[in-house]
Amino acid sequence: MKLSAIDNTRQSRQLNPVDEQLLETIADLHGIPQGAYNIRKNGDLLSRMSSANIEIVSKQDKPGIDVIVKPGTKNESVHIPVLVTASGLHDLVYNTFDIGEGADVLIVAGCGIHNPGASVARHDGIHEFIVRKGAHIRYVEKHYGQGEGTGDRILNPRTIITLEEGASAEVELVQIRGIDSTNRVTEARVGASGRLIISERLLTHGAQHADSLITVELAGDNASAEVLARSVAQDRSKQVFRASLVGKARSRGHVACDSIIMDSAEISSLPELHALHAEAELTHEAAIGKIAGEQLIKLMTMGLTEKEAIDTILAGFLS
Amino acid sequence: MLKLENVTVAASNGDGEELEILNKINLSFETGKMYAITGPNGGGKSSLAKVIMGIYQPAEGRLYLDGKDITSTSITERALMGIGYAFQNPPRFKGLKVKDLLSIAASNRDHGNIERLLRVVGLCPRDYIDREADARLSGGEFKRLEIAMLLARNPRFVIYDEPEAGVDLWTFEQLLGVIAGRHKANASSTTVVITHNERFLRAADEIVLMAEGEVKERGSADAIWPMIEDDIACRWRTTCGGELDEAECYR
Ligand SMILES: Nc1ncnc2c1ncn2[C@@H]1O[C@H](COP(=O)(O)OP(=O)(O)OP(=O)(O)O)[C@@H](O)[C@H]1O
Ligand SMILES: [Mg+2]
């Protein structure tokens, strides 16, 4: 069954082929998502489904939703894609996720922008997660932009994560091509025995600009965090990556940022460590470099052209 | 047949000076034969492989494959013509898996074949197929993968650069069997093994001895062996500005 069929009560809000393609790119959705979902298009709700254990309700005071996951909910997922297909639209949304004790869920968010016109199409999303005692989430956020229009496609996501005692989160932030300007802020607070892994994948090209600031506070004993960022900057694009770990307890943290720089792009990579406790163990590694010539040559000896070899290396690096 | 005519390769030494790393090489490799190339470190063996593969461009001279001048063809073109090279120190790839590299190498073959190739080089498919081909693979594992990649391509002119390096005692025999066996099974293939290993030298139809960027001797194992025993290579090694005289080679 196609996604357009789920909303047959509201014909005017059916998905068109552009929507379907964006959805597939940002959320790997080919049909109705399993479990709970909320699809937002051009600032309005397009379709929503709660499940027995996951409730989605609109916020009363501002645009956005509350997603409430019952304690102990396992192996369920929530899809909350956002589509922006109109030029001149500034969409702003606040989403709050309350993950009950001991739950284990997958949350897939994503924003696809198809800007057909000359004015800016912009989506600013604020996502707040409260992961309660012993709960686990995997949160995947994909950004993608396209459209024949000349208007900029802008995304400014802000993600706030609180991990209570023994809670854990795997956060995957992906933005491959198409977004002209992004200013991403990610803030996390990891409680005792909590565990956070943030991996970021970014590819900018043309005159794009991407700024990412990640701050992780290791607040409780045995808290741990890993920030693993990989990026590719092509053409004249610019990237600034800052990751700051603040160790306030007996904890461990590691930041690794690895970038490939091409053409006349610019990359700044700034890992920061702040130890406010004698038993905070914090490390970082950062590297920026060209594609290794040896890798290109090796792939060419296997019959690939130089262009195919570059594409293969970048796809692997960002996978 | 692959033929090199007066091939000279120059490289900069880092101080802006050009030095010849291959000097007027004349060599031909006949179809169906297996060759071993040996000689002292820095003698130009890998550079010879690279100029054949198109990785190094000759400053002078020409290369012919079956009579066709391939001197100005690219690496990709040579790969597609059927020239293959297993590197001495293959590069690692972040994010590419063993199966990704093997599928690229095999280009059109199926998955079953990839698993078979891994087994052939002594890597258990179940354990390796999804491993990343990055710095976490061990030296010997990576060397085996490099050979599997070459086998997947199945080139008609194949160069292995020190295939024995880093391969353990227990599977050396298997490796030798794979390389020599593949050669025997393909009457139209030419195999070149750059090696410091006696077993490989003895398995070859012909040995080429290289030193100082030149071919110093070539002939059957029986003809070349006594010269190797004689530490002939020592005499060709640059003698530290004359401090090391020839007599010292025989001490
Ligand atoms: N790209 C290069 N730039 C500068 N010098 C080079 C380059 N490639 C090779 N050389 C030099 O040419 C000489 C021959 O190198 P080559 O790698 O061909 O030796 P080899 O015979 O394969 O040695 P080994 O047995 O140690 O592998 C060495 O002195 C090396 O430093
Ligand atoms: Mg060598």
Side-chain angles (χ1 to χ4, degrees):
Chain A
M1 191 162 43
K2 299 288 275 183
L3 256 176
S4 48
I6 61 177
D7 232 19
N8 49 16
T9 52
R10 282 181 292 169
Q11 294 297 330
S12 60
R13 293 200 178 160
Q14 277 189 3
L15 293 176
N16 61 39
V18 169
D19 298 344
E20 289 190 357
Q21 184 242 323
L22 284 176
L23 271 182
E24 187 170 336
T25 310
I26 58 171
D28 293 325
L29 287 180
H30 307 287
I32 299 180
Q34 295 292 313
Y37 61 86
N38 188 87
I39 303 173
R40 181 182 173 89
K41 182 179 170 185
N42 296 333
D44 287 322
L45 171 65
L46 188 79
S47 181
R48 169 181 301 165
M49 176 79 84
S50 294
S51 74
N53 296 318
I54 301 174
E55 193 191 353
I56 304 179
V57 290
S58 297
K59 276 194 196 297
Q60 297 307 313
D61 53 339
K62 50 193 172 190
I65 51 175
D66 287 325
V67 176
I68 300 138
V69 177
K70 280 192 187 156
T73 303
K74 299 259 195 241
N75 299 322
E76 286 198 41
S77 62
V78 192
H79 283 81
I80 50 155
V82 171
L83 307 175
V84 179
T85 60
S87 208
L89 187 89
H90 180 177
D91 187 24
L92 174 66
V93 59
Y94 303 83
N95 296 335
T96 307
F97 298 78
D98 188 330
I99 315 296
E101 285 187 14
D104 185 350
V105 292
L106 165 70
I107 299 162
V108 182
C111 182
I113 299 186
H114 176 99
N115 189 349
S119 24
V120 167
R122 168 168 171 180
H123 173 75
D124 295 349
I126 300 172
H127 288 170
E128 182 165 8
F129 297 86
I130 301 150
V131 186
R132 305 208 179 265
K133 262 190 172 174
H136 173 78
I137 58 164
R138 184 165 156 239
Y139 173 59
V140 181
E141 184 181 289
K142 281 192 192 175
H143 290 163
Y144 177 72
Q146 62 179 30
E148 55 286 354
T150 51
D152 274 358
R153 299 177 291 256
I154 301 180
L155 275 176
N156 293 326
R158 178 150 178 229
T159 309
I160 303 156
I161 303 166
T162 306
L163 297 183
E164 289 188 353
E165 190 181 334
S168 59
E170 289 167 67
V171 177
E172 293 167 32
L173 309 169
V174 182
Q175 181 176 312
I176 309 292
R177 298 185 182 277
I179 304 299
D180 296 296
S181 164
T182 192
N183 200 330
R184 181 200 288 285
V185 177
T186 309
E187 289 161 27
R189 185 169 188 281
V190 185
S193 300
R195 181 171 152 76
L196 174 69
I197 300 173
I198 298 178
S199 51
E200 189 177 52
R201 297 288 180 266
L202 178 67
L203 185 149
T204 54
H205 62 119
Q208 294 174 353
H209 193 285
D211 220 315
S212 178
L213 168 64
I214 298 177
T215 312
V216 179
E217 189 187 320
L218 294 157
D221 278 351
N222 295 320
S224 73
E226 260 183 283
V227 177
L228 309 165
R230 279 196 185 169
S231 74
V232 176
Q234 300 178 320
D235 308 322
R236 289 162 294 134
S237 64
K238 290 190 171 64
Q239 297 179 3
V240 181
F241 177 81
R242 285 193 189 83
S244 163
L245 295 180
V246 185
K248 293 189 167 170
R250 172 154 48 84
S251 56
R252 271 167 184 277
H254 181 64
V255 182
C257 1
D258 204 345
S259 301
I260 293 180
I261 185 162
M262 299 169 73
D263 313 309
S264 38
E266 293 173 19
I267 301 178
S268 306
S269 193
L270 308 155
E272 256 178 60
L273 306 178
H274 303 273
L276 309 182
H277 189 283
E279 283 184 273
E281 253 180 69
L282 308 176
T283 53
H284 74 70
E285 51 186 318
I288 302 174
K290 290 191 298 191
I291 289 184
E294 281 271 291
Q295 293 180 355
L296 277 180
I297 289 171
K298 181 71 229 175
L299 293 179
M300 285 158 72
T301 68
M302 299 204 284
L304 300 195
T305 61
E306 186 173 351
K307 166 106 180 35
E308 289 167 340
I310 291 173
D311 291 346
T312 303
I313 291 164
L314 297 185
F317 182 72
L318 293 173
S319 68
Chain B
M1 187 168 82
L2 190 134
K3 199 170 156 199
L4 289 88
E5 238 177 52
N6 263 319
V7 170
T8 295
V9 171
S12 95
N13 67 355
D15 295 334
E17 264 175 65
E18 288 275 299
L19 70 147
E20 279 166 11
I21 56 182
L22 290 178
N23 187 14
K24 295 200 172 64
I25 303 278
N26 287 290
L27 255 182
S28 55
F29 298 96
E30 282 168 42
T31 305
K33 279 198 172 179
M34 178 157 159
Y35 296 84
I37 302 182
T38 194
N41 294 140
K45 303 178 294 297
S46 297
S47 302
L48 177 72
K50 288 176 188 169
V51 78
I52 293 172
M53 191 69 240
I55 299 168
Y56 286 174
Q57 284 301 316
E60 268 175 66
R62 312 219 65 87
L63 290 97
Y64 301 90
L65 181 66
D66 297 331
K68 185 175 172 269
D69 189 336
I70 59 163
T71 315
S72 51
T73 55
S74 68
I75 301 172
T76 312
E77 286 167 317
R78 290 190 207 189
L80 298 175
M81 280 174 206
I83 300 177
Y85 174 42
F87 288 25
Q88 181 172 3
N89 297 306
R92 314 283 182 137
F93 292 87
K94 277 182 194 160
L96 288 181
K97 294 185 169 163
V98 165
K99 67 173 173 210
D100 299 331
L101 287 179
L102 284 170
S103 334
I104 293 167
S107 42
N108 47 10
R109 271 167 245 213
D110 64 7
H111 197 62
N113 204 325
I114 288 174
E115 296 197 349
R116 189 182 60 78
L117 287 171
L118 281 172
R119 262 192 289 275
V120 163
V121 298
L123 296 174
C124 178
R126 194 188 52 228
D127 298 338
Y128 288 96
I129 204 149
D130 286 317
R131 290 271 300 267
E132 270 189 43
D134 63 9
R136 287 173 291 187
L137 280 186
S138 82
E141 287 168 339
F142 214 76
K143 206 64 188 177
R144 288 163 191 272
L145 171 61
E146 180 73 1
I147 291 164
M149 275 154 63
L150 198 61
L151 297 176
R153 282 206 68 67
N154 197 24
R156 62 193 166 109
F157 189 95
V158 30
I159 310 169
Y160 303 89
D161 201 341
E162 299 192 23
E164 76 276 12
V167 169
D168 61 55
L169 293 170
W170 296 271
T171 45
F172 173 79
E173 207 67 39
Q174 184 191 0
L175 178 76
L176 180 66
V178 168
I179 291 176
R182 177 191 179 275
H183 177 74
K184 286 206 188 83
N186 295 279
S188 60
S189 81
T190 310
T191 301
V192 178
V193 185
I194 297 171
T195 184
H196 300 292
N197 181 279
E198 180 173 351
R199 300 282 306 282
F200 270 109
L201 292 172
R202 293 204 181 272
D205 299 308
E206 198 174 319
I207 297 176
V208 177
L209 243 166
M210 288 189 71
E212 302 175 318
E214 292 172 4
V215 173
K216 298 292 188 181
E217 296 287 345
R218 61 182 296 183
S220 67
D222 287 343
I224 299 291
W225 204 257
M227 300 187 207
I228 292 174
E229 304 247 279
D230 223 17
D231 198 6
I232 198 163
C234 178
R235 277 190 279 137
W236 293 318
R237 198 172 290 142
T238 314
T239 53
C240 296
E243 277 168 43
L244 178 76
D245 71 44
E246 221 170 85
E248 287 186 69
C249 288
Y250 299 98
R251 280 216 301 248

